[in-house]
Amino acid sequence: MDNLLSLQNVSWKRDGRDILSEINWEMKKGENWGILGLNGSGKTSLLNIITAYEFPSSGEISVLGYSFGESYLPDLRKEIGFVSSSLSRFSHIIEYETIEEIIVSGKFASFGLYEQVHQEDWEKADELIGRFRLESLKGKPYKQLSQGERRRVLIARSLMNDPKLLILDEPCSGLDILSREQVLELTKEIVNRPCQFVYVTHHIEELVEDVTHVLSIKDGKIVAAGPKHEVVRDDILTETFKLPVHVRWEDGRPWLSVEKKVHA
């Protein structure tokens, strides 16, 4: 399976309004994609379609070999990991659970443990705790963790079920600079596994070295899609973000500045 994702002429309407229009995008084996766009550009809608929680008005979609309209899509969701700042809405359910319990719950795609947990599950969770340098947090309830620590635990949780594809939806939203860099460093652990990722953001400095390709989206339409250095350019991002910007590169990582307007 060379194509992990294939969207052909995908459009989606809601309440008679075009949310996504003529989306054509392929993600191949070995690629990790960043998705750039302003709030309201269609990023979340695109993710909802990829994860089969929304269905397009038109077009053809295949994700991890599951063709929409022909496959049993609940099985697809079991092969996709998902991390988002929006998962904080479940905090009240897990606030007294330890990080071990939260990570193990990823096997069952649940918040809270409602099924039998086997010894090998705890051992796998312990391996993830070590990989993600969370040993100092063992035994601590979720409510005592910082925002950055919570995000790291949720990323470890998302890998408990060995997903083939990991969706990182603005995972650094609301984090301070230290916590952000710690989360971004975790992409190295992800790419060392048989798992590829899609990283969604509107901050280009989060497109670290492990991100190989970028899709930029504006008003529900693709502006550009391809290798990172071909898409993360002044002209493309000026169109994507709807104001003049300049990109500079430092150690393979892009940074953005807004161009000052010259007044006559």
Side-chain angles (χ1 to χ4, degrees):
M1 181 175 60
D2 290 332
N3 283 353
L4 272 70
L5 298 173
S6 178
L7 284 73
Q8 298 180 24
N9 300 317
V10 169
S11 296
W12 184 53
K13 296 178 182 289
R14 184 175 59 194
D15 299 327
R17 185 165 63 95
D18 291 329
I19 306 299
L20 296 172
S21 301
E22 297 299 314
I23 300 294
N24 289 283
W25 175 36
E26 291 184 345
M27 177 180 179
K28 298 183 182 298
K29 189 174 181 180
E31 299 174 350
N32 295 303
W33 281 75
I35 299 180
L36 287 175
L38 295 171
N39 291 336
S41 61
K43 302 191 304 297
T44 299
S45 298
L46 185 57
L47 293 186
N48 287 340
I49 287 176
I50 291 171
T51 52
Y53 287 105
E54 297 286 358
F55 296 90
S57 306
S58 61
E60 297 181 1
I61 301 176
S62 175
V63 180
L64 300 177
Y66 292 81
S67 297
F68 285 33
E70 301 175 8
S71 304
Y72 184 64
L73 296 180
D75 285 344
L76 164 64
R77 298 186 192 116
K78 295 177 183 178
E79 298 189 29
I80 299 177
F82 183 71
V83 177
S84 171
S85 57
S86 66
L87 294 178
S88 61
R89 68 183 184 275
F90 297 106
S91 295
H92 67 286
I93 299 175
I94 59 175
E95 60 180 350
Y96 293 105
E97 292 188 353
T98 65
I99 71 163
E100 299 97 307
E101 293 169 330
I102 293 166
I103 291 172
V104 163
S105 73
K107 176 183 177 180
F108 311 105
S110 64
F111 280 95
L113 289 174
Y114 309 103
E115 301 182 48
Q116 183 177 3
V117 180
H118 300 285
Q119 180 60 33
E120 57 265 28
D121 299 326
W122 293 116
E123 291 172 357
K124 183 171 184 179
D126 202 50
E127 183 265 332
L128 286 166
I129 286 170
R131 287 283 187 179
F132 285 82
R133 300 183 295 280
L134 296 166
E135 295 95 336
S136 64
L137 303 178
K138 288 182 70 172
K140 281 192 174 184
Y142 190 72
K143 66 178 295 185
Q144 292 182 8
L145 307 184
S146 70
Q147 289 299 320
E149 289 168 342
R150 292 181 180 192
R151 215 63 55 84
R152 287 159 58 201
V153 167
L154 292 178
I155 292 174
R157 174 187 176 275
S158 72
L159 295 173
M160 184 68 194
N161 211 26
D162 295 321
K164 295 178 182 176
L165 178 65
L166 179 60
I167 306 291
L168 298 164
D169 182 18
E170 300 191 13
C172 296
S173 176
L175 300 185
D176 61 35
I177 188 168
L178 174 60
S179 297
R180 182 190 71 175
E181 293 304 308
Q182 290 174 335
V183 168
L184 292 174
E185 183 69 18
L186 298 182
T187 59
K188 298 188 184 304
E189 273 300 327
I190 296 168
V191 299
N192 287 334
R193 296 173 174 273
C195 177
Q196 293 172 232
F197 66 83
V198 174
Y199 189 105
V200 180
T201 185
H202 45 257
H203 298 292
I204 72 167
E205 66 272 16
E206 294 177 12
L207 300 177
V208 292
E209 185 179 1
D210 296 309
V211 177
T212 61
H213 290 68
V214 171
L215 180 150
S216 68
I217 187 169
K218 181 186 77 169
D219 299 333
K221 298 179 180 179
I222 291 178
V223 177
K228 181 166 62 176
H229 281 267
E230 294 180 12
V231 174
V232 182
R233 303 186 335 217
D234 292 6
D235 55 340
I236 291 173
L237 296 192
T238 290
E239 181 177 354
T240 302
F241 294 133
K242 302 182 181 181
L243 80 169
V245 297
H246 173 65
V247 180
R248 74 181 191 280
W249 293 83
E250 294 181 10
D251 299 323
R253 189 169 167 184
W255 298 82
L256 192 73
S257 60
V258 177
E259 295 285 85
K260 292 183 178 179
K261 293 183 179 179
V262 178
H263 298 282

